[in-house]
Amino acid sequence: MELSLSTYASGDHTVLEVGGEVDVYTAPRLREKLVELVEQGSRHVVVDLSRVEFLDSTGLGVLVGALKRLRAVNGTFGLVCSHERLLKIFRITALDRVFSLYDTVAAATSADGSDADPKDPKA
């Protein structure tokens, strides 16, 4: 399955919609797009994983790298993930304690990230 990537602005956030499969073959495209967004000045990025069918460890690594890149420039990084099959991956790897996870893009873009509890980002 192909990887689809599209972006749009929502307030001061850049939303990256991801669709398809994020795996060892497609993750480099996702990494390139996220690096490009930060280099172009995006500081508040939300990645919408609502249409992602599959996510492997390479994809997780790309997301961790993006989080680190944004933290280095005092930015914020949120993930929209409401599908149980993907949430399970984040729980198993304990990355649900690292990422700010949201059910919707609206919830992610309304959060400022400054007071988010990384252990319970949906609270």
Side-chain angles (χ1 to χ4, degrees), residues 3-49:
L3 178 71
S4 66
L5 301 171
S6 62
T7 59
Y8 65 92
S10 177
D12 64 347
H13 289 79
T14 300
V15 179
L16 174 59
E17 292 180 321
V18 182
E21 296 182 356
V22 182
D23 58 22
V24 68
Y25 302 106
T26 60
R29 280 186 51 216
L30 177 59
R31 177 182 296 113
E32 288 170 13
K33 186 63 176 178
L34 287 163
V35 168
E36 175 187 308
L37 290 174
V38 175
E39 287 178 351
Q40 290 175 348
S42 295
R43 293 297 176 260
H44 305 288
V45 176
V46 172
V47 176
D48 183 355
L49 301 173

Side-chain angles (χ1 to χ4, degrees), residues 51-86:
R51 297 180 334 177
V52 170
E53 301 295 322
F54 178 79
L55 178 68
D56 73 1
S57 60
T58 308
L60 288 174
V62 168
L63 296 174
V64 169
L67 174 66
K68 288 181 180 180
R69 184 177 302 275
L70 280 155
R71 282 185 177 168
V73 295
N74 295 316
T76 61
F77 186 73
L79 297 176
V80 175
C81 181
S82 59
H83 296 302
E84 184 57 35
R85 67 184 178 281
L86 293 183

